[in-house]
Amino acid sequence: MIQRYEGGYGWDRADPGGPTNFGITYIDLAEHRHQPIGSMAHWAPLVKAMPLDEAEDIYATKYATACRFDDLESGADCAVFDFGVNSGPSRAIKYAQMVVGTPRDGVLGPVTLAAINGMDANKFVDDLCDLRLGFLRHLGTWSTFGRGWSARIADLRAYSHKVAGAHPSSAK
């Protein structure tokens, strides 16, 4: 996922995430290192120097764990995880809960897990990707990043269908 969607170091002033490397923001890195967040400028060189293995560890501990990646059915796992990386695990889970009709608390507990895994994975992927696009379209940064987000979600949708075992005619 890192190589597919996230680039190396960058600091686009239009992106509220600030300095980012491998898709990991300065806030993620500060939290991971148990250090005060402080200013973006302070963290920029630290983010730039962050090794890939540290970014992978952050993905595993912060995102995959919260999104219960290993417990979700194939396809659904990718869709929830990537949404979580892009917009925060709690938001991704709340939108997944909207799809399956469970209480929206932002925690992927046993009830939500069972509901997601009990739903057709391809339908879940489509519904979650559609809601995700709707959310992103309402952000003030859509005009800057919308084209890239749309491409990412289209690619993710196709990939998620592939790993879920979709027939080509069922993928959007």
Side-chain angles (χ1 to χ4, degrees), residues 2-3 7 9 31 35 37 44 58 65 68 70 73 87 93 120 126 135-137 153 159:
I2 293 171
Q3 294 173 350
Y9 176 77
E31 289 173 352
Q35 296 179 7
I37 293 172
I58 294 168
T65 300
R68 297 192 60 180
D70 291 336
E73 294 293 326
S87 299
I93 294 165
D120 175 74
D126 283 338
F135 161 72
L136 291 170
R137 283 189 182 109
I153 294 168
Y159 177 78

Side-chain angles (χ1 to χ4, degrees), residues 60-136:
T61 58
K62 180 174 182 173
Y63 298 102
T65 300
C67 294
R68 297 192 60 180
F69 183 85
D70 291 336
D71 298 325
L72 290 169
E73 294 293 326
S74 294
D77 54 358
C78 300
V80 174
F81 177 75
D82 188 66
F83 192 169
V85 167
N86 199 225
S87 299
S90 178
R91 178 171 286 116
I93 294 165
K94 285 178 184 175
Y95 277 75
Q97 290 168 327
M98 286 173 42
V99 170
V100 297
T102 57
R104 293 177 17 197
D105 62 3
V107 177
L108 212 161
V111 172
T112 300
L113 180 66
I116 293 170
N117 286 343
M119 185 174 179
D120 175 74
N122 291 297
K123 178 158 177 33
F124 176 82
V125 165
D126 283 338
D127 291 353
L128 186 63
C129 287
D130 291 345
L131 284 174
R132 180 179 176 185
L133 276 171
F135 161 72
L136 291 170

Side-chain angles (χ1 to χ4, degrees), residues 7-74:
Y9 176 77
W11 187 1
D12 187 322
R13 304 298 175 164
D15 184 351
T20 304
N21 195 3
F22 308 119
I24 300 299
T25 68
Y26 76 102
I27 294 171
D28 292 330
L29 183 59
E31 289 173 352
H32 181 72
R33 292 182 178 180
H34 307 288
Q35 296 179 7
I37 293 172
S39 72
M40 289 185 198
H42 166 78
W43 280 96
L46 301 172
V47 170
K48 188 173 187 176
M50 175 183 55
L52 178 60
D53 64 333
E54 187 170 19
E56 290 172 337
D57 188 47
I58 294 168
Y59 276 112
T61 58
K62 180 174 182 173
Y63 298 102
T65 300
C67 294
R68 297 192 60 180
F69 183 85
D70 291 336
D71 298 325
L72 290 169
E73 294 293 326
S74 294

